[in-house]
Amino acid sequence: MADHEALHELLAKAGVDSLRYRRALALLGAGRWWTLADLVRETATSRRAIESLLRVLPVEHSGDRVRITVDQLNRYNGAGEADISSFEDPVAGVGAAGASGAGASGAEAAGTHPDVLARLETLIAKAPRGRQALDHVSATAETVLRRALLLGRRFWLPGARLLCVGDHDLTSLAVRMLHPEVEVAVADVDDRVLGYIDAQDLGVRTRWADLRLGLPPSLRGWGDLAITDPPYTPEGVGLFAARAAEGLRDREQGRILVAYGASERTPMLALKVQKALGELNLLNEAIFPDFNRYHGAEAIGSAADLYVLRPTTKTWPAIAARLDRLATAIYTHGPQSVESAPGPVDDVPDDVTAFEPRLLAGDWPRGLLPSTPRVRLGTLLAKPYAADPERVAIAVPAGLEAALPRLLLATRARHVRVVLAEPYQDLPALAASLSPVYGLTAGGRVIDAVRLPLPQEGEERVIRRIMDSAHGKVANTWREALAEVAGLTRKQARAAVEEAAPWAADVSPLEMPLERLTGLPAAVTRTLATV
């Protein structure tokens, strides 16, 4: 195998962790002679790894010292690698104890990017207000920028993918501003946050997800790195870390960054969180103390540490076990707080029994209609139910209302009866988002959704076809419907969809932010207008 091919294979196998090899390569090509021991110490990389690098390089020898020529280094740089000889330290200290033992302030660490910092300050100030029930507390602009800087310092980012598991802090935008070569995706339960990120037009994939019900299928096994600032309960940290691990495609070299803070007065709470991470068999590779700073969260000193976690071979079975016993109460406030811990719907209206459902979705009392099949809400969202039942009853506990439009689309039933903990707060918005599919009526805590007839032609039929295929990829169904309605070839239909909705390639209707779902009719109209 040629030297270049062998080196490329070695770097590719190392993935985002290949920065270690690239640092060694840069040192070897800088003109100085190096002993093996010096290279190991300078790069903080194992002797075995450095030896594997030297075996694929045409090194020059001088006794026990080695180097490569500048021409050779340039040859490797020119082979699709982005400036692998430049390794400045952009975040000296990065808020943790640095080489000097003292942490750098946010202003010092971010001082080399004043324009990005100023833009982030504006974006954070204008972002949707945090929701206490979701444990939202905004990180400072300096913190968000330093997260992006740290990623570039610690990992090799060209060609990498970053998954933000929740992103009220807008870390996704900072990474795209600073590292446009990185693909970034966000999974979040707050449709307002997703819409705000979309509006910045920075190329971030946005997916709706209530992580208690599952990670979006299009993001499973997608990323090389994942970052999350979860609810600070053991249950919340464990769940968000587990979903982040599910989102990794590189199970050997992938990393998960977790922000977590506790008061210095409650070490036992921090220990419980660390045990929750330990139960997932995640290696604690580094902790940067007080890395994250917040507007608020004074109970924990307005600060949180940043954990760098690495999965092990035992992580994946541990995650499966963790998710099998999943609890929905993960927050510190609101109806889904750990203290609330809601159980099955215990006040079932009489008309649910009279409705005679053919499927019960959600957590119903065991004694209710014992012969009727049951399915978890997460299972309903993850894959189509085996049959198309005539009538489905769905129990939606307090705190999971954001899932309702997706659950209604996922059922494929002709008539759905929903029982909520409280009357739905914005029925007109729900009706507008589902108007191509359902007619809605409501009474108290009960919503009835009756499926409308399938339109026979025009844009209404295209829209309906897309929304009826709730688990399928939007672009695929859209192309097929365009070909059927407008008589287009597959090539023409593909071009029309890519022009009108480049975001539709790998997303399903169930994963779409609500703003995009509601705006789908207008997007379909544009494709037909171009035809």
Side-chain angles (χ1 to χ4, degrees), residues 343-357 359-370 372 374 392-397 417-422 443-447:
V345 173
D346 54 7
D347 182 16
V348 180
D350 294 337
D351 54 0
V352 171
T353 303
F355 180 58
E356 297 183 352
L359 179 69
L360 292 172
D363 202 1
W364 296 92
R366 289 188 177 182
L368 178 71
L369 303 172
T372 303
R374 298 177 178 231
V392 174
I394 303 177
V396 180
R417 181 157 292 175
V418 179
V419 178
L420 299 140
E422 297 177 352
R445 298 186 297 117
V446 177
I447 296 176

Side-chain angles (χ1 to χ4, degrees), residues 466-502:
I466 295 170
M467 296 181 76
D468 277 350
S469 300
H471 295 86
K473 293 181 180 179
V474 170
N476 291 351
T477 312
W478 198 336
R479 290 195 301 263
E480 293 170 3
L482 277 180
E484 173 192 332
V485 169
L488 303 181
T489 66
R490 289 185 177 180
K491 183 176 180 180
Q492 291 171 327
R494 181 182 298 108
V497 173
E498 289 176 353
E499 175 71 20

Side-chain angles (χ1 to χ4, degrees), residues 161-182:
R161 293 175 174 177
L162 172 69
L163 171 61
C164 297
V165 182
D167 196 30
H168 174 69
D169 292 330
L170 309 181
T171 300
S172 60
L173 301 181
V175 173
R176 285 292 294 172
M177 286 183 224
L178 209 62
H179 306 293
E181 72 277 15
V182 180

Side-chain angles (χ1 to χ4, degrees), residues 55 117 120 149 199 224 235 254 271 326 370 389 396 407 453 480 490:
R55 280 196 296 269
L117 181 60
L120 286 170
L149 289 168
D224 303 292
E235 295 82 0
L271 180 61
L326 180 64
V396 180
L407 292 168
E480 293 170 3
R490 289 185 177 180

Side-chain angles (χ1 to χ4, degrees), residues 35-83:
T35 67
L36 180 59
D38 287 341
L39 278 173
V40 168
R41 184 168 48 253
E42 189 70 20
T43 61
T45 300
S46 70
R47 180 186 181 96
R48 188 173 179 180
I50 294 298
E51 287 175 338
S52 68
L53 175 64
L54 295 178
R55 280 196 296 269
V56 300
L57 291 174
V59 297
E60 297 179 340
H61 292 268
S62 176
D64 64 346
R65 298 177 300 164
V66 295
R67 70 180 183 185
I68 61 175
T69 67
V70 174
D71 289 342
Q72 289 165 343
L73 180 60
N74 290 337
R75 174 190 173 203
Y76 298 128
N77 279 352
E81 309 296 349
D83 194 16

